Amino acid sequence: MLKKERISLFNKTRAYVPLNQDDIMTIATLSFTSPSNLSFTPRHTFHHRRRRHNLLKPTTKISAQVSLSTPPSITSQPNLKKTGVIVVGAGLAGLAAAIRLHSDNIPFLLVEASDGVGGRVRTDSVDGFLLDRGFQIFITGYPEARKILDYEALDLQKFYSGAKVYYGGGFHTVADPLRHLADAIQSLTNPIGTIVDKSLIALTRIRVLTQSDDQIFSAEETSTIDLLKRIGFSDSIVDRFFRPFFGGIFFDRDLETTSRLFNFIFKCLALGDNTLPAKGISAIPEQLASKLPSNSIILNSPVASIDSESESESSYTVRMNNGEILRAEHGVIIAVEEPEAVKLLAGKSNDFPVQIKPPRSTICLYFSADRTQVPVDDPVLFINGSGKGIVNNMFFATNVAPSYGPPGKVLVSVSLIGLYEDASDEDLKTKVVEELSSWFGKEVACSWTYLRTYRVKFAQPNQSPPTDLRKNPKLGLGLYVCGDYRTSATFDGALVSGRKAAEALLKDRSLVQAS
């Protein structure tokens, strides 16, 4: 049985619900009776936004979501729970897979090891500030995201379309000429690249906009740095703009990331805006989770193993770390980070790699400041084009989304590339403040109050060539895998991968039923 403090499900108000031992016993027992007239309302309701608990009396009903549509027979294993599909991992890919299954009325359970949905896409509330776990920007030009997300409900707050580049002791603007023509004209003669470089950016934009996403992902590839040199960009714009700007997106200042991903991101930037949801980056997975049925998500539930019941059938058993066993009649979708997927799938399929490239890592430091202590009001990204120091990029988050901090306060977000494992958090804080003192002045940077440091070891999969950004999600009958490492290392790639994994399962299930 699951321990009290490790269980939570989704309630009928689309909120996370902790269950006690009696509740789990009720679910395990009643899931083997006819579900036609039974449902279950958990004892405690947890509402995300107001952080308020309401006590509810338990009823004698249980949702059919935790059992098959056809009542199973009594089993000798009282802790064995059955469903149609088990999705392991409630990040963007797992949520997208679950939404696709739900659209076809396939019963499922979505199990998540942590205490919330989102995977790496999470936000913490600290002293009235919203701290995203690592530097994350949502691009509205993502094609899959446009289909599945409600942008208006996310209340997306826009960045300036361009960046301020720190170089030579001062800031220089790089602007999108279609959105900020006057700024772009004024920047033609600045030291961040030549006039020829800026014309090549326009030609690159036209090139990617005339290609379909499938053409981009299947095109001949090289590294991003080699592509930029092949196009003809000068060393000045590569080192002062492309390395910090796209290096901050890929967490790869060397720009070894595949040219396929560069072209896709460049296209999405041309089609949309860089934004932040008003309630934090976690608003994206939370909106996806709200589309799912009540009681379909189980949090704080790490998976220990996944085993096939028969090579000729799609049924699988999923054993949790606490010993509980779940059974999936139609299959399992693995939607965890690549290193965890390697552990869970060891020996399960010859089509899944056992060795992976070193992941991309990042560190994000947050500071608070009074509004009077910040000399900039613009919602702009600052990038380090100097080639010196440890800061790659930074911005004042509350300039973009005022809701990221209390009234009169400013949230400062600073990003580094890599883990700096030999440096303590205190050392990094000291170096960052010292470095930003040369950007904004010592009186400004030294007045900021340190909030928190996030070290994200697996910030993004390493997608240096060779890559296959259109991997088949099927590993075997009833076993599927998804995640941004299977497609493009973007929010959009995770969503696409999850949907395709669910569609592969649905296709196989229809073939089995027809046979």
Side-chain angles (χ1 to χ4, degrees):
M1 290 298 172
L2 296 176
K3 296 180 181 178
K4 296 179 184 178
E5 67 273 15
R6 296 182 64 82
I7 303 300
S8 61
L9 296 177
F10 234 41
N11 76 352
K12 295 185 178 180
T13 61
R14 305 290 197 268
Y16 303 120
V17 181
L19 301 182
N20 63 24
Q21 191 73 19
D22 293 336
D23 294 334
I24 299 304
M25 285 293 293
T26 303
I27 291 176
T29 303
L30 293 181
S31 62
F32 296 99
T33 66
S34 174
S36 59
N37 61 350
L38 298 176
S39 63
F40 177 78
T41 302
R43 294 182 179 177
H44 304 289
T45 303
F46 180 24
H47 297 281
H48 284 292
R49 297 180 180 175
R50 297 187 180 275
R51 304 286 180 182
R52 188 172 59 191
H53 295 265
N54 296 323
L55 295 180
L56 301 178
K57 294 182 179 180
T59 71
T60 58
K61 298 181 178 182
I62 184 168
S63 171
Q65 193 57 229
V66 297
S67 63
L68 297 175
S69 56
T70 302
S73 58
I74 298 296
T75 175
S76 59
Q77 291 180 282
N79 66 336
L80 181 69
K81 292 190 290 189
K82 297 183 181 181
T83 189
V85 180
I86 295 173
V87 181
V88 181
L92 296 185
L95 290 165
I99 288 172
R100 184 64 185 87
L101 293 172
H102 180 52
S103 71
D104 270 37
N105 297 315
I106 302 298
F108 69 91
L109 281 177
L110 179 55
V111 295
E112 165 61 36
S114 73
D115 61 355
V117 300
R120 284 165 275 155
V121 187
R122 298 284 300 274
T123 304
D124 296 318
S125 179
V126 177
D127 296 338
F129 292 94
L130 297 179
L131 310 185
D132 295 333
R133 297 184 183 180
F135 173 63
Q136 302 187 57
I137 290 180
F138 179 73
I139 304 174
T140 59
Y142 287 140
E144 186 77 8
R146 285 177 169 177
K147 299 174 186 176
I148 195 172
L149 291 170
D150 182 345
Y151 284 7
E152 184 176 354
L154 287 173
D155 193 11
L156 299 171
Q157 308 292 300
K158 297 180 182 179
F159 280 78
Y160 176 88
S161 296
K164 294 280 189 182
V165 182
Y166 181 74
Y167 174 75
F171 294 105
H172 308 275
T173 300
V174 175
D176 182 339
L178 296 184
R179 295 180 173 98
H180 307 290
L181 180 59
D183 290 349
I185 292 174
Q186 290 180 2
S187 68
L188 285 176
T189 57
N190 70 24
I192 311 304
T194 65
I195 293 177
V196 172
D197 286 325
K198 286 148 193 178
S199 65
L200 288 175
I201 289 178
L203 291 174
T204 301
R205 182 178 189 145
I206 294 171
R207 175 178 60 81
V208 296
L209 287 174
T210 57
Q211 294 179 312
S212 69
D213 294 342
D214 193 61
Q215 287 175 319
I216 288 174
F217 291 142
S218 61
E220 179 183 352
E221 71 175 336
T222 184
S223 66
T224 292
I225 187 64
D226 286 344
L227 173 67
L228 296 175
K229 291 179 178 179
R230 183 186 302 173
I231 291 172
F233 286 109
S234 68
D235 289 343
S236 64
I237 197 167
V238 167
D239 293 338
R240 298 167 195 172
F241 174 72
F242 284 109
R243 285 191 190 278
F245 186 81
F246 280 92
I249 294 174
F250 303 147
F251 303 116
D252 168 29
R253 276 191 69 102
D254 293 332
L255 300 181
E256 296 174 344
T257 299
T258 174
S259 56
R260 293 169 176 168
L261 188 57
F262 170 83
N263 286 331
F264 177 67
I265 292 292
F266 207 99
K267 179 180 178 180
C268 291
L269 288 171
L271 292 172
D273 297 299
N274 287 337
T275 68
L276 290 175
K279 295 181 180 177
I281 203 72
S282 64
I284 293 172
E286 287 173 0
Q287 184 184 103
L288 294 174
S290 72
K291 298 174 182 287
L292 299 175
S294 59
N295 299 340
S296 63
I297 300 179
I298 306 178
L299 302 176
N300 298 310
S301 300
V303 169
S305 64
I306 300 169
D307 297 294
S308 174
E309 294 188 358
S310 169
E311 293 185 2
S312 60
E313 297 180 359
S314 59
S315 298
Y316 277 80
T317 55
V318 176
R319 184 177 295 276
M320 315 305 288
N321 272 7
N322 56 18
E324 185 177 11
I325 298 174
L326 306 177
R327 182 173 182 269
E329 283 218 326
H330 308 316
V332 173
I333 297 176
I334 307 298
V336 296
E337 293 177 354
E338 188 176 19
E340 294 304 313
V342 168
K343 295 176 185 177
L344 285 175
L345 293 169
K348 300 290 190 302
S349 172
N350 293 329
D351 296 327
F352 195 81
V354 294
Q355 292 183 336
I356 64 174
K357 301 172 185 176
R360 304 301 188 190
S361 304
T362 186
I363 297 176
C364 185
L365 296 89
Y366 286 104
F367 301 84
S368 68
D370 291 333
R371 170 52 60 187
T372 56
Q373 296 169 337
V374 175
V376 181
D377 294 325
D378 298 328
V380 66
L381 181 70
F382 294 85
I383 60 177
N384 186 359
S386 70
K388 303 175 183 177
I390 63 174
V391 173
N392 183 75
N393 56 273
M394 64 83 62
F395 69 108
F396 301 101
T398 40
N399 286 2
V400 180
S403 50
Y404 265 58
K409 293 290 186 177
V410 174
L411 177 63
V412 185
S413 172
V414 184
S415 296
L416 320 180
I417 295 176
L419 277 183
Y420 292 88
E421 293 177 300
D422 295 334
S424 68
D425 289 355
E426 182 65 26
D427 290 338
L428 291 178
K429 181 193 75 171
T430 301
K431 290 180 181 178
V432 163
V433 170
E434 180 181 354
E435 192 170 326
L436 294 182
S437 293
S438 65
W439 291 27
F440 302 105
K442 187 173 182 179
E443 289 185 1
V444 171
C446 290
S447 68
W448 298 342
T449 301
Y450 171 75
L451 290 174
R452 182 172 291 186
T453 295
Y454 289 92
R455 294 177 183 257
V456 188
K457 183 175 182 178
F458 191 93
Q460 199 175 107
N462 183 330
Q463 294 198 321
S464 58
T467 64
D468 177 4
L469 305 186
R470 301 180 300 165
K471 294 184 177 71
N472 186 345
K474 181 178 178 179
L475 297 182
L477 184 61
L479 186 61
Y480 311 85
V481 64
C482 59
D484 59 356
Y485 65 96
R486 305 289 292 179
T487 51
S488 66
T490 62
F491 282 21
D492 212 63
L495 295 174
V496 169
S497 181
R499 172 177 58 79
K500 288 187 174 181
E503 288 176 348
L505 182 148
L506 292 169
K507 179 181 178 181
D508 288 345
R509 181 171 177 267
S510 64
L511 292 175
V512 170
Q513 289 179 329
S515 63

